Amino acid sequence: KDQVFQPSTVASSEGAVVEIFCNHSVSNAYNFFWYLHFPGCAPRLLVKGSKPSQQGRYNMTYERFSSSLLILQVREADAAVYYCAGCPGNNRKLIWGLGTSLAVNP
Amino acid sequence: NAGVTQTPKFQVLKTGQSMTLQCAQDMNHNSMYWYRQDPGMGLRLIYYSASEGTTDKGEVPNGYNVSRLNKREFSLRLESAAPSQTSVYFCASSEAAGVFGAYEQYFGPGTRLTVT
């Protein structure tokens, strides 16, 4: 069964680099996606791809069966839920992890 | 562009009542999805529509029905609401871009449903 695994919680201090790790057993996964979700808002894409990439303070690492999201200079306002998702082959569905809740200490 | 819109934003139902959640997208996307989000459970796919005229069950379809009314609109119906369907419901859409395409999904703001 295609699955994506990520930690349920991660804690960090303001100004640090925080890493959220994700690994999967998604068959023929070509792409990883990292989404940010604040309660009450629409989840939105941070970074995606089939190779390491960066969007502003967000870096994505990429291996065949894993990916990490690195948030540079983390702020209290970054406290939210971060979802990792993989796309199996040419299937339109994404396989989602359960989300990682990030806590940022001042 | 409004992106993905959902109505209503909030709804309270009594057990056994029915309702339809509406979703529309103006990005000319082929695929549309309905998710529910519960604490600790992440985003769980209820139904999806890969293209206009098709619908398929997701991970948790029981108790729900969907209609892909046209390319823009995808509705989710609860025929007889149960307390277990208390959740936040998200609609999303994406444009398939081929085998190596990145099927990025765009989400609506969600509907918070409470069933008492």
Side-chain angles (χ1 to χ4, degrees):
Chain A
K1 179 183 175 183
D2 290 337
Q3 288 184 287
V4 171
F5 305 95
Q6 56 183 125
S8 59
T9 59
V10 168
S12 181
S13 299
E14 241 186 342
V17 176
V18 64
E19 180 177 13
I20 302 174
F21 181 75
C22 167
N23 68 300
H24 75 94
S25 60
V26 176
S27 57
N28 299 318
Y30 294 115
N31 295 290
F32 273 103
F33 302 77
W34 284 96
Y35 279 79
L36 164 64
H37 185 217
F38 290 106
C41 298
R44 69 177 179 90
L45 183 71
L46 288 174
V47 65
K48 67 181 182 184
S50 56
K51 58 184 179 181
S53 61
Q54 179 177 1
Q55 289 288 335
R57 293 187 299 116
Y58 305 102
N59 283 351
M60 184 185 96
T61 68
Y62 179 87
E63 301 287 340
R64 181 68 179 89
F65 291 102
S66 67
S67 173
S68 285
L69 175 70
L70 289 97
I71 308 173
L72 310 180
Q73 297 178 312
V74 71
R75 310 160 183 164
E76 279 193 83
D78 292 325
V81 177
Y82 293 81
Y83 287 101
C84 174
C87 182
N90 65 345
N91 191 318
R92 288 178 176 82
K93 291 189 296 181
L94 293 181
I95 308 300
W96 294 87
L98 296 183
T100 298
S101 181
L102 172 64
V104 181
N105 304 312
Chain B
N1 287 351
V4 180
T5 57
Q6 294 182 234
T7 56
K9 290 188 176 180
F10 301 94
Q11 184 71 48
V12 179
L13 292 177
K14 295 186 186 301
T15 297
Q17 288 185 317
S18 62
M19 79 160 296
T20 299
L21 281 64
Q22 307 286 354
C23 173
Q25 51 92 8
D26 61 3
M27 296 173 282
N28 200 35
H29 284 169
N30 290 310
S31 302
M32 298 185 73
Y33 313 82
W34 276 105
Y35 292 93
R36 61 178 288 173
Q37 184 197 39
D38 303 289
M41 304 293 285
L43 292 164
R44 292 186 291 171
L45 185 65
I46 305 171
Y47 270 94
Y48 68 104
S49 172
S51 60
E52 187 179 357
T54 69
T55 60
D56 287 285
K57 294 179 180 179
E59 186 183 351
V60 288
N62 291 344
Y64 306 95
N65 285 302
V66 291
S67 295
R68 183 75 183 267
L69 304 171
N70 47 56
K71 193 172 185 179
R72 290 187 64 248
E73 299 172 287
F74 188 38
S75 63
L76 177 72
R77 182 160 179 84
L78 287 70
E79 290 291 351
S80 179
S84 61
Q85 294 178 304
T86 293
S87 187
V88 181
Y89 291 85
F90 288 100
C91 178
S93 70
S94 71
E95 178 180 5
V99 173
F100 294 98
Y103 299 111
E104 174 182 353
Q105 293 183 11
Y106 296 80
F107 284 81
T111 295
R112 184 173 293 276
L113 175 67
T114 302
V115 183
T116 61

